[in-house]
Amino acid sequence: MDFNIQDLPIQGAKLISPFYIQDERGYFLKNYEKDIFEQWDLCTDIYESFESSSKRGVIRGLHFQTLKPQSKIVRVIRGTVRDVIVDLRKDSETFGKYIDVILSDKNHLSLWVPKGFAHGFEVLSEEAITSYICIGKYLKSYDSGIRWNDKELNIKWETKYPIVSDRDSRLMSFREYKENYNESW
């Protein structure tokens, strides 16, 4: 059962093509194998797994944890999202840069989000169910993020009038992040 894992333009981020087979019965998808992930130096001390359901036009994020940040494996079980990650590692050549990938139930891709990145997505289909596997303990007191529409990050969202939670609309700016956090992760 082969995986295809490839590096993305920002160091540490990976795009994962799982083992996938389909026949007249349906399909079989294997999205995780500890030995393969460890060969790629992807720490897989899985702490929690959850999923979210969102409708078209929803933007969630850009979330991260300020203390003991989590790595994540993100994939879409149903629908299509544009997944965005922002490099928050101050010692990185790509600090403050973002990349985006399309994750869907058709392409079966997963995104490895290393610790030290903010993560968010926008829903492009009528509905999307997104699955997250988190490496590292969730610490509610340190759960934070950067506003989805931060002018300095200048993320090119497709959704003109997004549906955003009250919490996400009150997140800090990228400037506030740079002024208040010195971590290089």
Side-chain angles (χ1 to χ4, degrees), residues 102-149:
I102 299 296
L103 302 178
S104 75
D105 60 352
K106 303 289 186 259
N107 68 19
H108 310 291
L109 297 172
S110 296
L111 179 64
W112 173 267
V113 182
K115 64 182 179 178
F117 281 70
H119 171 258
F121 64 86
E122 71 178 312
V123 179
L124 303 176
S125 55
E126 288 305 310
E127 177 191 27
I129 297 177
T130 306
S131 168
Y132 315 77
I133 296 173
C134 296
I135 293 86
K137 183 177 173 78
Y138 173 71
L139 302 172
K140 184 176 182 175
S141 300
Y142 299 97
D143 184 22
S144 191
I146 296 171
R147 279 191 303 277
W148 65 277
N149 61 349

Coordinates of all heavy atoms in Angstrom, one line a residue, residues 102-149:
I102 N -6.1 22.6 -2.7 CA -7.5 22.1 -2.7 C -7.5 20.7 -2.2 O -6.8 19.8 -2.6 CB -8.0 22.1 -4.2 CG1 -8.0 23.6 -4.8 CG2 -9.4 21.5 -4.2 CD1 -8.9 24.6 -4.1
L103 N -8.3 20.5 -1.2 CA -8.6 19.2 -0.6 C -10.0 18.9 -0.9 O -10.9 19.7 -0.7 CB -8.3 19.2 0.9 CG -6.9 19.6 1.4 CD1 -6.9 19.6 2.9 CD2 -5.9 18.8 0.8
S104 N -10.3 17.6 -1.3 CA -11.6 17.3 -1.6 C -11.8 15.8 -1.5 O -10.9 15.0 -1.4 CB -12.0 17.7 -3.1 OG -11.4 16.8 -4.0
D105 N -13.1 15.4 -1.5 CA -13.4 13.9 -1.5 C -13.1 13.3 -2.8 O -13.2 12.1 -3.0 CB -14.9 13.7 -1.1 CG -15.9 14.4 -2.0 OD1 -15.5 15.1 -2.9 OD2 -17.1 14.2 -1.8
K106 N -12.8 14.1 -3.8 CA -12.4 13.5 -5.2 C -10.9 13.3 -5.3 O -10.5 12.3 -5.9 CB -12.9 14.5 -6.3 CG -14.4 14.8 -6.3 CD -15.2 13.6 -6.7 CE -16.6 13.9 -6.8 NZ -17.5 13.5 -5.7
N107 N -10.1 14.2 -4.8 CA -8.7 14.0 -4.9 C -8.0 13.3 -3.7 O -6.9 12.9 -3.8 CB -7.9 15.4 -5.2 CG -7.9 16.3 -4.0 OD1 -8.2 16.0 -2.8 ND2 -7.7 17.6 -4.3
H108 N -8.8 13.1 -2.6 CA -8.3 12.3 -1.5 C -7.0 12.8 -0.8 O -6.4 12.0 -0.1 CB -8.2 10.8 -1.9 CG -9.4 10.3 -2.6 ND1 -10.6 10.1 -2.0 CD2 -9.5 9.9 -3.9 CE1 -11.5 9.7 -2.9 NE2 -10.8 9.5 -4.0
L109 N -6.6 14.0 -1.1 CA -5.3 14.5 -0.6 C -5.5 14.8 0.9 O -6.5 15.2 1.3 CB -4.8 15.7 -1.4 CG -4.5 15.4 -2.8 CD1 -4.2 16.7 -3.5 CD2 -3.3 14.4 -2.9
S110 N -4.3 14.8 1.6 CA -4.2 15.3 3.0 C -3.1 16.3 3.0 O -2.2 16.2 2.2 CB -3.9 14.1 4.0 OG -5.0 13.2 4.0
L111 N -3.2 17.2 4.0 CA -2.2 18.2 4.1 C -1.6 18.0 5.5 O -2.3 18.0 6.5 CB -2.8 19.6 4.0 CG -1.9 20.8 4.2 CD1 -0.8 20.8 3.1 CD2 -2.7 22.1 4.2
W112 N -0.2 17.9 5.5 CA 0.5 17.9 6.8 C 0.8 19.4 7.1 O 1.5 20.1 6.4 CB 1.8 17.1 6.6 CG 2.7 17.2 7.8 CD1 3.7 18.1 8.1 CD2 2.6 16.4 9.0 NE1 4.3 17.9 9.3 CE2 3.6 16.9 9.9 CE3 1.8 15.3 9.4 CZ2 3.9 16.3 11.1 CZ3 2.0 14.8 10.6 CH2 3.0 15.2 11.5
V113 N 0.3 19.8 8.3 CA 0.5 21.2 8.8 C 1.4 21.1 9.9 O 1.1 20.6 11.0 CB -0.9 21.8 9.2 CG1 -0.6 23.2 9.7 CG2 -1.9 21.7 8.1
P114 N 2.7 21.5 9.7 CA 3.7 21.4 10.8 C 3.3 22.4 12.0 O 2.7 23.4 11.7 CB 5.0 21.8 10.2 CG 4.8 21.9 8.7 CD 3.3 22.0 8.5
K115 N 3.9 22.1 13.1 CA 3.7 23.0 14.2 C 4.4 24.3 13.8 O 5.4 24.3 13.0 CB 4.3 22.5 15.5 CG 5.7 22.2 15.6 CD 6.2 21.6 16.9 CE 7.6 21.3 16.9 NZ 8.1 20.8 18.2
G116 N 3.9 25.4 14.2 CA 4.4 26.7 13.8 C 3.7 27.3 12.6 O 4.2 28.3 12.1
F117 N 2.6 26.8 12.3 CA 1.8 27.3 11.2 C 0.4 27.6 11.7 O -0.1 26.9 12.5 CB 1.7 26.3 10.0 CG 2.9 26.1 9.2 CD1 4.0 25.6 9.6 CD2 2.8 26.6 7.9 CE1 5.2 25.5 8.8 CE2 3.9 26.5 7.0 CZ 5.1 25.9 7.5
A118 N -0.2 28.7 11.1 CA -1.6 29.0 11.3 C -2.3 28.2 10.2 O -1.8 28.0 9.1 CB -1.9 30.4 11.2
H119 N -3.5 27.7 10.5 CA -4.3 26.9 9.5 C -5.7 27.4 9.4 O -6.4 27.8 10.4 CB -4.3 25.5 10.0 CG -5.3 24.6 9.2 ND1 -6.5 24.2 9.7 CD2 -5.2 24.1 8.0 CE1 -7.1 23.5 8.8 NE2 -6.3 23.4 7.7
G120 N -6.2 27.4 8.2 CA -7.6 27.8 8.0 C -8.1 27.2 6.6 O -7.3 26.7 5.9
F121 N -9.4 27.3 6.4 CA -9.9 26.9 5.1 C -11.2 27.6 4.7 O -11.8 28.2 5.6 CB -10.1 25.4 5.0 CG -11.1 24.8 5.9 CD1 -12.5 24.8 5.6 CD2 -10.8 24.3 7.2 CE1 -13.4 24.3 6.4 CE2 -11.7 23.8 8.0 CZ -13.0 23.8 7.7
E122 N -11.5 27.6 3.4 CA -12.8 28.1 3.0 C -13.5 27.0 2.2 O -12.8 26.2 1.5 CB -12.6 29.3 2.1 CG -12.0 29.1 0.7 CD -11.9 30.4 -0.1 OE1 -12.9 31.1 -0.2 OE2 -10.9 30.6 -0.7
V123 N -14.8 26.9 2.4 CA -15.6 25.9 1.8 C -16.0 26.3 0.4 O -16.7 27.3 0.2 CB -16.8 25.5 2.6 CG1 -17.6 24.4 2.0 CG2 -16.3 25.1 4.0
L124 N -15.7 25.5 -0.6 CA -16.0 25.8 -2.0 C -17.2 25.0 -2.5 O -17.8 25.4 -3.6 CB -14.8 25.5 -2.9 CG -13.5 26.3 -2.5 CD1 -12.4 25.9 -3.4 CD2 -13.7 27.8 -2.6
S125 N -17.6 23.9 -1.9 CA -18.7 23.1 -2.3 C -19.9 23.5 -1.4 O -19.8 24.3 -0.5 CB -18.4 21.6 -2.1 OG -18.0 21.4 -0.7
E126 N -21.1 22.9 -1.7 CA -22.3 23.2 -0.9 C -22.1 22.9 0.5 O -22.6 23.6 1.4 CB -23.5 22.4 -1.5 CG -24.0 23.0 -2.8 CD -24.3 24.5 -2.8 OE1 -25.0 24.9 -1.9 OE2 -23.8 25.2 -3.7
E127 N -21.4 21.8 0.8 CA -21.1 21.4 2.2 C -19.7 20.7 2.2 O -19.3 20.2 1.1 CB -22.1 20.4 2.7 CG -21.8 19.9 4.1 CD -22.7 18.7 4.6 OE1 -23.1 18.0 3.7 OE2 -22.8 18.6 5.8
A128 N -19.0 20.8 3.3 CA -17.7 20.1 3.4 C -17.6 19.5 4.8 O -18.0 20.2 5.8 CB -16.6 21.0 3.1
I129 N -17.1 18.3 4.8 CA -16.8 17.7 6.1 C -15.3 17.5 6.1 O -14.7 16.8 5.2 CB -17.5 16.3 6.3 CG1 -19.0 16.5 6.4 CG2 -17.0 15.6 7.6 CD1 -19.8 15.3 6.5
T130 N -14.7 18.2 7.1 CA -13.2 18.2 7.2 C -12.8 17.4 8.4 O -13.3 17.6 9.5 CB -12.7 19.7 7.2 OG1 -13.3 20.4 6.1 CG2 -11.2 19.7 7.2
S131 N -11.7 16.6 8.2 CA -11.2 15.7 9.3 C -9.8 16.3 9.7 O -9.0 16.6 8.8 CB -11.1 14.3 8.8 OG -10.3 13.5 9.7
Y132 N -9.6 16.3 11.0 CA -8.3 16.8 11.5 C -7.8 15.7 12.5 O -8.5 15.2 13.3 CB -8.5 18.0 12.4 CG -9.3 19.1 11.8 CD1 -10.7 19.0 11.9 CD2 -8.8 20.3 11.3 CE1 -11.5 20.0 11.4 CE2 -9.6 21.3 10.8 CZ -11.0 21.2 10.9 OH -11.7 22.2 10.4
I133 N -6.5 15.4 12.3 CA -5.8 14.6 13.3 C -4.7 15.5 13.8 O -3.9 16.1 13.1 CB -5.2 13.3 12.6 CG1 -6.2 12.4 12.0 CG2 -4.3 12.6 13.6 CD1 -5.7 11.3 11.2
C134 N -4.7 15.6 15.2 CA -3.8 16.6 15.8 C -2.7 15.8 16.6 O -3.0 14.9 17.3 CB -4.6 17.5 16.7 SG -5.8 18.5 15.9
I135 N -1.5 16.3 16.4 CA -0.4 15.7 17.1 C 0.0 16.8 18.2 O 0.4 17.9 17.9 CB 0.8 15.5 16.1 CG1 0.5 14.3 15.1 CG2 2.1 15.1 16.9 CD1 -0.3 14.7 13.9
G136 N -0.1 16.4 19.4 CA 0.1 17.3 20.5 C -1.2 17.6 21.2 O -2.3 17.6 20.6
K137 N -1.1 17.9 22.5 CA -2.3 18.2 23.3 C -2.9 19.6 23.0 O -2.2 20.5 22.9 CB -1.9 18.1 24.8 CG -3.0 18.3 25.8 CD -2.5 18.1 27.2 CE -3.6 18.5 28.2 NZ -4.6 17.4 28.4
Y138 N -4.2 19.6 23.0 CA -4.9 20.9 22.8 C -4.9 21.6 24.1 O -5.2 21.0 25.2 CB -6.4 20.6 22.4 CG -7.2 21.9 22.3 CD1 -7.0 22.8 21.4 CD2 -8.2 22.0 23.3 CE1 -7.8 24.0 21.4 CE2 -9.0 23.2 23.3 CZ -8.8 24.1 22.3 OH -9.6 25.3 22.3
L139 N -4.5 22.8 24.1 CA -4.4 23.7 25.3 C -5.4 24.9 25.1 O -5.0 25.9 24.4 CB -3.0 24.1 25.6 CG -2.0 23.0 25.8 CD1 -0.6 23.6 25.8 CD2 -2.3 22.2 27.0
K140 N -6.6 24.8 25.6 CA -7.6 25.8 25.3 C -7.1 27.2 25.6 O -7.4 28.2 24.9 CB -8.9 25.5 26.1 CG -10.0 26.5 25.8 CD -11.3 26.1 26.6 CE -12.4 27.0 26.2 NZ -13.6 26.6 26.7
S141 N -6.4 27.4 26.7 CA -5.9 28.7 27.1 C -4.9 29.4 26.1 O -4.7 30.6 26.1 CB -5.2 28.7 28.5 OG -6.1 28.2 29.5
Y142 N -4.4 28.5 25.2 CA -3.4 29.0 24.3 C -3.9 28.9 22.8 O -3.1 29.1 21.9 CB -2.0 28.3 24.5 CG -1.5 28.5 25.8 CD1 -1.7 27.6 26.9 CD2 -0.8 29.6 26.1 CE1 -1.2 27.8 28.1 CE2 -0.3 29.9 27.4 CZ -0.5 29.0 28.4 OH 0.0 29.2 29.7
D143 N -5.1 28.6 22.7 CA -5.7 28.5 21.4 C -5.9 29.9 20.8 O -6.5 30.8 21.5 CB -7.1 27.8 21.5 CG -7.8 27.6 20.1 OD1 -7.1 27.6 19.1 OD2 -9.0 27.4 20.1
S144 N -5.4 30.2 19.7 CA -5.4 31.6 19.2 C -5.5 31.6 17.6 O -5.8 30.5 17.0 CB -4.2 32.3 19.6 OG -4.3 33.7 19.3
G145 N -5.2 32.7 17.0 CA -5.2 32.8 15.6 C -5.0 34.2 15.1 O -4.9 35.1 15.8
I146 N -5.0 34.3 13.8 CA -4.9 35.5 13.0 C -6.1 35.7 12.1 O -6.6 34.7 11.6 CB -3.6 35.5 12.2 CG1 -2.4 35.4 13.1 CG2 -3.5 36.7 11.3 CD1 -1.0 35.2 12.4
R147 N -6.6 36.9 12.1 CA -7.8 37.1 11.3 C -7.6 36.7 9.8 O -6.6 36.9 9.2 CB -8.2 38.6 11.3 CG -8.9 39.0 12.5 CD -9.5 40.4 12.4 NE -8.6 41.4 12.2 CZ -7.8 42.0 13.1 NH1 -7.9 41.7 14.3 NH2 -7.0 43.0 12.7
W148 N -8.7 36.1 9.3 CA -8.7 35.5 8.0 C -8.4 36.5 6.9 O -7.8 36.2 5.9 CB -10.0 34.8 7.7 CG -11.2 35.8 7.7 CD1 -11.9 36.3 8.7 CD2 -11.7 36.4 6.5 NE1 -12.8 37.2 8.3 CE2 -12.7 37.3 7.0 CE3 -11.4 36.4 5.2 CZ2 -13.5 38.1 6.1 CZ3 -12.2 37.2 4.3 CH2 -13.2 38.0 4.8
N149 N -8.8 37.8 7.1 CA -8.6 38.8 6.1 C -7.5 39.8 6.4 O -7.6 41.0 6.0 CB -10.0 39.6 5.9 CG -10.5 40.2 7.2 OD1 -9.9 40.0 8.3 ND2 -11.5 41.1 7.1

